[in-house]
């Protein structure tokens, strides 16, 4: 088994966040001819949806650390950026809406990135943010006690790959206060959890993520990952999912 560091690529985090982002896109009014900035594009499924919404005369600026899987079009402008070092594209009031998640672990200065986004957002535009909260998943049932211990270790390592060792989410924990302080109104913060059963779609996502964990992390071995993979196909396994957070807010006129 070849295992790479999860921090080197976005991996399948989009499989956890894209469904909730798609749901929230229906709550904001993205229209044809508009300009949208998307941050943390991953493979570009949300990008394609945004391009459909803005139409042939609109524009989507797709920003990611790794743009190798993205193809520019007449509507989609691909921009490679490391948010810990580079400024976001655009200037003041450049975009009608901004959609953001960052699948490369905690940001060095998330408040600065948030302020950049708000500055580039036009009045009355929507900001949509998504991330994984510090709340770890829970194990409800496994075939044996040894399985519980292994799954617990693996789930915590996967969680740390998303949030860092301290359980830090991408966006600040006091995000609602920051949004209000920066002139954002009509904001909503909501979290989503669900039950995952062995061999179901949620557990299959965990298998994909585990395959990218570095084997030396916290004593995780190839054997552990192989055993975890088998358990994630066992219908006797019952987990509570990672808690996903979605924030959307509108900039005051």
């Amino acid at each position: 088994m070849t295992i790479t560091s999860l921090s080197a690529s976005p991996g399948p985090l989009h499989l956890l966040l894209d469904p909730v982002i798609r749901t929230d896109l229906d709550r904001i009014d993205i229209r044809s001819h508009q300009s949208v900035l998307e941050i943390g594009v991953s493979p570009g499924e949300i990008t394609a949806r945004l391009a459909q919404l803005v139409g042939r005369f609109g524009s989507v600026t797709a920003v990611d650390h790794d743009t190798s899987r993205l193809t520019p079009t007449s509507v989609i402008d691909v921009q490679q950026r490391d948010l810990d070092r580079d400024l976001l594209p655009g200037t003041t009031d450049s975009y009608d809406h901004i959609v953001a998640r960052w699948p490369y672990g905690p940001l060095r200065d998330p408040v600065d990135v948030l302020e950049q986004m708000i500055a580039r957002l036009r009045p009355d535009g929507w900001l949509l943010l998504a991330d994984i909260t510090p709340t770890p998943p829970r194990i409800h049932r496994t075939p044996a006690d040894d399985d519980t211990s292994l799954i617990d270790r693996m789930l915590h390592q996967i969680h740390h790959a998303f949030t860092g060792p301290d359980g830090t989410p991408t966006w600040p924990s006091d995000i609602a206060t920051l949004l209000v302080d920066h002139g954002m109104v009509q904001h909503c913060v909501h979290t989503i959890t669900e039950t995952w059963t062995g061999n179901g779609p949620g557990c299959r996502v965990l298998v994909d993520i585990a395959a990218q964990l570095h084997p030396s992390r916290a004593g995780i071995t190839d054997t552990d990952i192989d055993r975890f993979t088998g358990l994630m196909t066992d219908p006797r396994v019952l987990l509570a999912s990672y808690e996903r957070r979605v924030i959307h807010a509108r900039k005051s006129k």
Side-chain angles (χ1 to χ4, degrees), residues 197-219:
T197 304
N199 208 36
C203 287
R204 289 196 292 270
V205 169
L206 292 177
V207 169
D208 292 339
I209 298 170
Q212 300 188 46
L213 286 175
H214 194 284
S216 65
R217 282 191 197 194

Side-chain angles (χ1 to χ4, degrees), residues 158-180:
I158 292 171
H159 192 251
H160 290 164
F162 294 149
T163 64
D166 299 327
T168 305
T170 302
W171 311 116
S173 57
D174 59 343
I175 186 70
T177 301
L178 284 167
L179 292 172
V180 171

Side-chain angles (χ1 to χ4, degrees), residues 24 27-28 126-130 175-177 179-180 184-192 244-250:
D24 265 46
R27 302 184 183 194
I28 62 180
W126 286 96
L127 173 66
L128 193 158
L129 309 171
I175 186 70
T177 301
L179 292 172
V180 171
M184 303 296 289
V185 297
Q186 198 177 332
H187 66 279
C188 176
V189 181
H190 58 101
T191 58
I192 302 99
R244 288 150 290 175
R245 179 175 61 163
V246 183
I247 305 107
H248 62 269
R250 183 171 55 82

Side-chain angles (χ1 to χ4, degrees), residues 44-210:
E45 294 178 11
I46 296 296
T47 314
R49 175 59 180 155
L50 291 171
Q52 290 177 341
L53 291 172
V54 301
R56 58 185 293 194
F57 298 112
S59 67
V60 177
T61 302
V63 173
D64 205 276
H65 183 272
D66 177 7
T67 59
S68 60
R69 292 185 289 175
L70 303 173
T71 302
T73 70
S74 59
V75 174
I76 300 171
D77 177 28
V78 176
Q79 298 269 346
Q80 186 171 7
R81 293 285 196 281
D82 180 344
L83 297 194
D84 285 332
R85 299 182 305 173
D86 305 321
L87 292 175
L88 292 173
T91 56
T92 301
D93 298 346
S94 295
Y95 302 102
D96 293 294
H97 308 288
I98 298 176
V99 178
R101 77 281 209 209
W102 194 244
Y104 300 98
L107 291 167
R108 178 180 54 79
D109 192 348
V111 174
D112 175 68
V113 176
L114 182 67
E115 289 174 343
Q116 289 184 54
M117 287 190 285
I118 293 173
R120 286 158 174 75
L121 186 63
R122 291 172 183 153
D124 211 32
W126 286 96
L127 173 66
L128 193 158
L129 309 171
D131 63 4
I132 303 294
T133 76
T135 303
R138 298 184 303 278
I139 303 171
H140 294 309
R141 185 182 66 210
T142 63
D145 289 343
D146 288 347
D147 298 330
T148 301
S149 177
L150 172 62
I151 291 173
D152 183 66
R153 284 195 299 129
M154 292 296 299
L155 292 180
H156 277 80
Q157 289 306 307
I158 292 171
H159 192 251
H160 290 164
F162 294 149
T163 64
D166 299 327
T168 305
T170 302
W171 311 116
S173 57
D174 59 343
I175 186 70
T177 301
L178 284 167
L179 292 172
V180 171
D181 289 346
H182 285 79
M184 303 296 289
V185 297
Q186 198 177 332
H187 66 279
C188 176
V189 181
H190 58 101
T191 58
I192 302 99
T193 57
E194 58 197 1
T195 300
W196 287 345
T197 304
N199 208 36
C203 287
R204 289 196 292 270
V205 169
L206 292 177
V207 169
D208 292 339
I209 298 170

